[in-house]
Amino acid sequence: MKHVQATKKPNLLYLQIADKVLEIIQSRRLQPHDPVPSEGELAKLFGVSRMTSKLALEQLAEKGLVYRLPRRGTFLSGKQDGVPESGLLPAEKKALPEEKKQSNQMALIVPHLSDYTSRIIAAAENEARKHDCDLILKISRNKEDEDRCLQRLVDGGISGIILFPQGRKTCSDQVLRLKLMQFPIVIIDRIFHEVQIDCVYHDHYLGSYQMTKYLIGKGHREIGYTSNSLDNITSREERYQGYIQALLDHAIPVKNQSIHFRSVPCNPSNINEGDPEQERFIHENPQMTAVMCGDDHVAISTLYTALRMEIPVPEKLSIVGFSDIQLSALTPIPLTTVRQDTEQLAQSAFNLLMKRVKHSLEKQITIKIQTTIVERKSVL
């Protein structure tokens, strides 16, 4: 009689945990796109390892019951019994298409009113008229207010939304929810790397790179950089990266002393006064012959500060900005800066939004708008 070797049964503990997760989903009455317990929460709740919890969630993801987003967590899918695969709740699915057919209204949400955002608003209004649409403007006071604006607009039957987000580190849950609902939304002047969503933004990296290269072409080798804090805002990060790369490509050493990030944001209401932070930065870098500023407000503040310090601009210190706000041409020494084309930004965003309103099924689209250098009198 042959001896039959017993086969060792695989550890199916993660399958048991997966069943427990389904029980939690049912008991908590979670809706599509609601977060489900994390790996850490499950490990603590059931006394298992994080690896077992991870395998349990991956098992549910393979079945299409949940979906996982890097650095955000695990969420309930829309493929549950009785829930449409689109992820919309029955009431949502019934309401949205009907309202879209009746509504010809688009919305634009901006985080503040400034010269730059005012130009975007004017350009967006012009594009709305071209498409025979009404444009609703919302100004969000903060991140929470931005989420409320988005929700109210959707509840009110808006057809599509162009969003200039608050300075967030990551995409908000409300934006993510609209994305998963396949609601027409286009992000402008920001990009969220952790989620695939339509966006239109200026090529901040290339604009900054070209401006730094422009200064190098004028003979400058001691070029400083000053900006408001990066705060994980992609436009600021890319401008800084463009400056660094231009120096490296031209074999110019990057000096930490010549790089300054403000401890408090530059205040546009008093940029014509002396600024202690900018004064300290200039004073500590006497060898600096040019300074690249992260935006025009910082550049104008730096310009006025240098003049108050009796430093000739541009004879001793050249100063450049980014954005080309209206005030940049009206300073005592008109500012050389990087111009952002707001008309092209609005046009591209509106065309992309209308494509989504018409149920285009193309994958996520990212459009970069090129910038140009405006030469004035602040560079020698």
Side-chain angles (χ1 to χ4, degrees):
M1 184 174 180
K2 285 186 177 181
H3 174 70
V4 179
Q5 185 176 5
T7 58
K8 191 175 182 179
K9 289 186 178 181
N11 183 359
L12 300 182
L13 180 57
Y14 74 94
L15 295 178
Q16 297 175 28
I17 300 302
D19 290 337
K20 295 291 185 183
V21 174
L22 293 178
E23 292 176 8
I24 291 174
I25 290 171
Q26 292 175 353
S27 65
R28 295 183 183 178
R29 297 183 179 179
L30 299 183
Q31 299 297 321
H33 314 305
D34 283 347
V36 303
S38 66
E39 295 172 10
E41 290 171 324
L42 292 174
K44 186 176 180 180
L45 184 62
F46 298 112
V48 297
S49 67
R50 288 181 67 97
M51 179 56 71
T52 299
S53 300
K54 179 180 180 181
L55 291 172
L57 292 175
E58 288 179 348
Q59 175 73 10
L60 295 176
E62 288 178 7
K63 294 181 178 180
L65 300 176
V66 301
Y67 59 91
R68 314 193 74 192
L69 296 175
R71 300 186 299 278
R72 297 195 66 88
T74 304
F75 300 84
L76 185 62
S77 168
K79 299 182 180 180
Q80 314 302 313
D81 291 338
V83 179
E85 289 193 5
S86 64
L88 296 179
L89 298 177
E92 292 171 331
K93 190 169 184 180
K94 180 180 180 182
L96 283 174
E98 292 178 358
E99 288 170 345
K100 285 180 186 176
K101 291 177 183 177
Q102 296 171 2
S103 172
N104 204 26
Q105 292 183 325
M106 306 297 165
L108 171 64
I109 303 176
V110 296
H112 50 71
L113 271 182
S114 64
D115 177 78
Y116 178 58
T117 56
S118 295
R119 285 189 283 138
I120 292 175
I121 292 167
E125 168 66 17
N126 188 49
E127 290 303 315
R129 291 175 182 271
K130 288 180 183 178
H131 290 87
D132 195 26
C133 295
D134 293 324
L135 184 68
I136 295 177
L137 173 65
K138 294 287 185 180
I139 302 171
S140 59
R141 299 186 186 91
N142 49 48
K143 297 173 185 178
E144 293 72 23
D145 189 48
E146 177 184 292
D147 286 342
R148 283 193 293 270
C149 288
L150 287 167
Q151 188 61 56
R152 288 175 182 173
L153 287 167
V154 174
D155 291 344
I158 203 76
S159 296
I161 298 172
I162 296 174
L163 172 65
F164 188 151
Q166 290 279 339
R168 296 177 180 271
K169 295 182 180 180
T170 58
C171 174
S172 73
D173 290 340
Q174 185 63 34
V175 170
L176 181 61
R177 183 179 291 271
L178 295 181
K179 158 69 176 176
L180 295 170
M181 286 169 54
Q182 298 181 343
F183 183 88
I185 182 169
V186 175
I187 306 298
I188 60 171
D189 214 55
R190 295 281 188 274
I191 184 168
F192 296 122
H193 296 291
E194 77 275 15
V195 60
Q196 293 186 335
I197 191 167
D198 291 332
C199 64
V200 180
Y201 72 112
H202 291 103
D203 195 336
H204 302 279
Y205 172 87
L206 185 58
S208 181
Y209 183 96
Q210 290 176 335
M211 178 58 88
T212 308
K213 183 179 177 181
Y214 167 82
L215 292 172
I216 294 171
K218 291 287 186 178
H220 295 282
R221 291 297 179 271
E222 297 289 344
I223 304 171
Y225 189 87
T226 178
S227 167
N228 287 318
S229 175
L230 298 183
D231 289 334
N232 291 296
I233 297 175
T234 51
S235 57
R236 294 180 187 174
E237 290 177 345
E238 290 182 3
R239 292 174 193 180
Y240 174 59
Q241 291 164 1
Y243 156 79
I244 294 292
Q245 194 60 53
L247 294 184
L248 294 176
D249 288 350
H250 291 82
I252 297 176
V254 177
K255 299 179 180 179
N256 289 335
Q257 183 181 345
S258 300
I259 298 170
H260 169 245
F261 295 107
R262 295 179 57 87
S263 60
V264 294
C266 183
N267 186 350
S269 63
N270 59 6
I271 55 177
N272 62 333
E273 302 174 5
D275 187 310
E277 281 206 51
Q278 299 309 102
E279 182 174 347
R280 192 179 324 90
F281 170 60
I282 294 171
H283 180 74
E284 291 175 353
N285 290 278
Q287 80 290 347
M288 189 168 62
T289 63
V291 57
M292 171 77 191
C293 300
D295 63 63
D296 282 351
H297 287 127
V298 174
I300 294 170
S301 179
T302 305
L303 173 64
Y304 275 105
T305 300
L307 294 178
R308 285 178 176 272
M309 295 172 68
E310 298 184 350
I311 296 175
V313 177
E315 290 78 9
K316 188 171 181 182
L317 182 64
S318 293
I319 300 172
V320 298
F322 204 111
S323 289
D324 191 28
I325 63 175
Q326 188 175 14
L327 186 58
S328 64
L330 305 176
T331 50
I333 295 141
L335 188 68
T336 293
T337 185
V338 177
R339 174 174 292 166
Q340 296 175 277
D341 190 331
T342 50
E343 290 186 8
Q344 191 176 355
L345 178 78
Q347 183 181 54
S348 298
F350 226 97
N351 288 339
L352 180 52
L353 184 65
M354 295 303 296
K355 182 181 291 188
R356 297 308 185 195
V357 169
K358 294 175 183 177
H359 308 294
S360 167
L361 298 178
E362 289 183 65
K363 291 183 178 180
Q364 170 244 356
I365 296 175
T366 298
I367 300 174
K368 285 187 180 181
I369 308 298
Q370 297 306 307
T371 59
T372 56
I373 293 176
V374 179
E375 294 186 85
R376 294 195 179 103
K377 302 295 184 180
S378 65
V379 174
L380 186 64

